[in-house]
Amino acid sequence: MTTVEDAKNVLSKILDSGSKKNLIELAWIKNVRVILPRVIITLSLPSFANSQRDRIVQEVRNKLLKFEDINDVQIEIDHNVSQSNEKGENNFQELKNIKGIKHIIAVSSGKGGVGKSTIAVNIACSLAKLGLKTGLLDADIYGPNTPSLLGVTEENPKVTDGSGNDQRLIPIKKFGISLVSMGFLIEEGQPVIWRGPMLNSIIKQFLYQVEWNYLDFLVIDLPPGTGDAQISLSQSVPISGAIVVTTPQQVSLQDARRGLAMFKQLGVPLLGVVENMSVFIPPDMPDKKYEIFGKGGGKILAKENDLPLLAQIPIEISLVNESNKGIPISVSQPDKESSIRFTELAQIIRKMFIN
Ligand code: ADP
């Protein structure tokens, strides 16, 4: 199986025609990702080397397609680099640290509809309730629904004074958290057709051109699945740890497994698994619990990957009702079983990073 090292090895045979140094050494080829049968790289040429671009792209493809298990080579062009180099700055370095943000937690799932956004919103609100400064970045381009989960669909984020790149987006404050959502950028009903590279620059803007101020935690609601969007996002954001959300059905495990494998291949640290919709608790009989979606999915996934099962969140009708009203259950009904589980989850996350 071709590894990142194998790919880098062959790519290091490609030379700059001027200095004769290899492109890996020059960091003109970065972010080599092997998601078989695909390899994705970022080509980051300084403006003075643009004339070599066609030759380099050709050589990259030729070399990588020689591997038997690779049939697709995706080359992302880092458009920022030539501009930033001219200014004497380095955008890539910047990715490693976002000023003022201590820890970035990504919430992800193998497929849609498992409750990923619900979990992300309630984690963020529960961290805030613990007194931690918390932001929520809704990067789910396919269904950015955190504004409706937080009841802020009518609000438009303001921008700071200044012009051009000096201007910053001011997050919307609700329930003690700071929210910025892709939903703010998408017109309702408009199809989402951004491609990976475009998404990359949008997410960077989100991170660097938002007035986050100081945050203990930035929770990111990633899009579901393992496509280009997730890969670009994971690579654009310096993630401290990812949480994978799944449901108890064993049939949904396959998707979740792919999600976990993607993070592993991208080198993103995994914090653990959250099983959502574990049991149904009828509102009139809160002592009863029904395993309507089967059982064991979260446990199996966690065990297979040697990860903790961080939480099991029950299905509660009040959770849906409160979500529909735009109030996360952990805020409106802290005594409900799901709210208690969210608080415990937030405490686990705090302990992993703070004490
Ligand atoms: P995703 O982000 O994975 O697409 P959502 O968070 O949008 O999923 O949730 C999908 C639907 O399931 C929403 O209507 C949400 O209110 C509901 N839901 C999610 N988790 C629960 C739960 N634990 N109990 C009841 N309903 C839930």
Side-chain angles (χ1 to χ4, degrees), residues 112-118 145 276-277 313-316 319-320 323:
V114 299
K116 174 182 56 61
S117 300
T118 305
N145 56 4
N276 188 28
M277 310 191 188
I313 313 293
I315 305 171
E316 289 189 289
L319 188 151
V320 187
S323 296

Side-chain angles (χ1 to χ4, degrees), residues 69-80:
D69 51 358
I70 291 173
N71 63 23
D72 184 8
V73 176
Q74 190 178 324
I75 300 173
E76 291 174 351
I77 305 290
D78 185 353
H79 291 288
N80 290 322

Side-chain angles (χ1 to χ4, degrees), residues 101-120:
I101 299 183
K102 281 194 171 167
H103 309 289
I104 297 183
I105 308 295
V107 180
S108 135
S109 64
K111 61 174 183 171
V114 299
K116 174 182 56 61
S117 300
T118 305
I119 305 282

Side-chain angles (χ1 to χ4, degrees), residues 314-328:
I315 305 171
E316 289 189 289
I317 292 177
S318 44
L319 188 151
V320 187
N321 292 341
E322 294 303 298
S323 296
N324 291 343
K325 282 192 243 160
I327 314 171

